[in-house]
Amino acid sequence: MIVPSEEIAGAIAEAGVDVETVVWRQDSADEVPAGELLIGVRPSNPEASERLGEIEGLRHIHVPSLGFEWVEEYVPEGVTLSNSAGTIEEGTAELTLAMILAVLREIPQAVDQQREGRWDAGFTASSLQGARVLMLGYGGVGQAIARRIEAFAPESITPVGSRAREENGTHIHGADELPELLPQADVVVVSLPHTDKTAGLVDADFLAAMPDGALLANIGRGPVVDTQALLAELSTERLRAALDVTDPEPLPDGHPLWSAPGCLILPHVGGATSKVWELTLDLIVEQTRRMAAGEDPRNIVER
C-alpha cells in the first residue's frame, strides 16, 4: 500500500492491518513504487499526477478529501477511485457558519478596532435571524450547513440543485430557477464541486441578480465563481463575500481579492480540524483493511 506520510503508515500499523506500506507522493523525486492501493493527496504540481499511471499493480486510489477533480483525469483505466465522504462535511459546515456570522456581524471590523485600541459601537450589523438563505448545492456539505443555519431562525432556506426534485421531504429547486430565486436571497451559500457544468456558474449575471448588501459564501471550489465578476461587485461595496476557496488558489501575493472591501478570505481550511483528520485517518485505515481482505473500498465514486 502506498501512503503519503509516516503518520498514515503508523496508523495502519497500529491498527494491526497486515500490509506493507511505502511512503511516497507523486510530486516527490523518488522512484515510483508498486502497490495495489494508493492514498493520494493533491500534489503541488498537478502534472505530477501523471505518474499514477506508472504504479505497477495499482487497483484503487483513495483521496482524503471530498473533491477528486484534481486526480480524476489521471486515474489509470481499470483503477477505481474513492473519496472521504462522511468525514469532512460537519467540519466544513462549521467553518461556513463561522464565516457567514463573521461577515454579517462585522467581526473583521471589530478585530481591526481591537488592534487599534478603538471602542466604536456605532454600527448595526446584519444577521442570519430573519435572513433568506439560498443553498447552491445540497449534498452532504450543503445539508450540514443548512442544519446549522436553521438554528439561527432564518426566514427561509432554499436548496438549489442541478434539477428540481423532492428528497427526504425537502423540495430542491432546479438551477434553472436561479434568475427568480437570487433576487430574494440575503445569503447565497455555494458548496458545489468544480466540474465542466459548474465552472463559472457564479458569473456577472448571477451576482447582478443578488440584492444590494447580499453575502456570497463559497465553501465549494474557487473556479465555480468568476473572480473578476466578484471583484467588480465587491469594489462598489454592493455585495459582500466569505471565501474559503478562491480562483486562483493559492491566492497570490498582491491579488486584488486580498484587499477587496467586504471580503473575508480563508486559505481552504474547511475540513482542517483535528476531528476531521481523526475521522479521515480512520477511513484510510478501513480502506486499507478492506483492500487487504479482498473487499471493495467504501465511497467508490462513479466516473
Side-chain angles (χ1 to χ4, degrees):
M1 306 296 180
I2 306 170
V3 298
S5 70
E6 292 288 353
E7 180 185 5
I8 293 175
I12 293 170
E14 185 176 346
V17 184
D18 186 18
V19 296
E20 180 182 350
T21 56
V22 177
V23 177
W24 179 80
R25 292 175 60 111
Q26 60 265 42
D27 53 2
S28 74
D30 297 336
E31 183 179 348
V32 178
E36 294 185 354
L37 169 65
L38 168 76
I39 306 301
V41 293
R42 185 191 297 264
S44 54
N45 175 16
E47 287 71 28
S49 291
E50 293 177 356
R51 302 181 77 192
L52 301 181
E54 302 173 26
I55 300 175
E56 185 178 346
L58 184 64
R59 294 197 297 119
H60 185 76
I61 297 172
H62 176 76
V63 295
S65 60
L66 286 177
F68 50 86
E69 75 284 349
W70 52 273
V71 71
E72 188 171 17
E73 66 177 292
Y74 301 105
V75 177
E77 186 176 354
V79 174
T80 52
L81 175 68
S82 61
N83 69 355
S84 293
T87 70
I88 299 170
E89 292 87 341
E90 300 300 325
T92 302
E94 180 179 271
L95 182 73
T96 307
L97 182 63
M99 292 196 308
I100 291 171
L101 291 174
V103 174
L104 293 180
R105 297 305 301 265
E106 302 187 10
I107 301 300
Q109 294 91 316
V111 171
D112 289 341
Q113 290 180 195
Q114 179 182 350
R115 288 173 176 164
E116 297 167 4
R118 177 167 54 91
W119 186 283
D120 181 4
F123 63 87
T124 301
S126 47
S127 173
L128 271 176
Q129 183 181 7
R132 300 163 298 178
V133 181
L134 187 148
M135 305 292 306
L136 184 55
Y138 204 61
V141 171
Q143 291 174 40
I145 295 168
R147 289 196 300 271
R148 285 161 173 77
I149 290 176
E150 185 65 41
F152 288 80
E155 178 181 313
S156 61
I157 298 176
T158 303
V160 179
S162 57
R163 56 181 176 79
R165 62 189 187 275
E166 298 294 325
E167 193 170 283
N168 298 323
T170 298
H171 178 67
I172 300 175
H173 296 261
D176 59 335
E177 300 176 64
L178 283 170
E180 293 76 39
L181 296 173
L182 285 169
Q184 310 302 319
D186 302 304
V187 177
V188 175
V189 181
V190 180
S191 60
L192 295 173
H194 178 206
T195 67
D196 291 341
K197 291 183 178 181
T198 64
L201 177 63
V202 182
D203 58 11
D205 290 340
F206 182 110
L207 296 169
M210 294 171 60
D212 292 354
L215 167 64
L216 176 77
N218 187 8
I219 197 74
R221 286 293 185 264
V224 175
V225 176
D226 182 326
T227 299
Q228 292 306 311
L230 178 60
L231 277 168
E233 293 286 5
L234 293 173
S235 65
T236 65
E237 301 187 34
R238 196 185 76 81
L239 298 179
R240 294 172 289 177
L243 310 174
D244 183 46
V245 291
T246 60
D247 184 27
E249 189 176 303
L251 198 61
D253 293 346
H255 193 283
L257 261 183
W258 285 120
S259 55
C263 184
L264 174 64
I265 299 173
L266 281 80
H268 202 152
V269 291
T273 72
S274 57
K275 184 61 179 179
V276 165
W277 179 239
E278 174 189 328
L279 295 172
T280 302
L281 200 54
D282 287 346
L283 179 57
I284 289 172
V285 171
E286 181 180 353
Q287 300 289 62
T288 304
R289 181 182 289 113
R290 282 172 171 263
M291 289 286 292
E295 301 174 4
D296 290 334
R298 287 176 48 193
N299 296 348
I300 293 179
V301 298
E302 297 181 6
R303 297 182 291 119

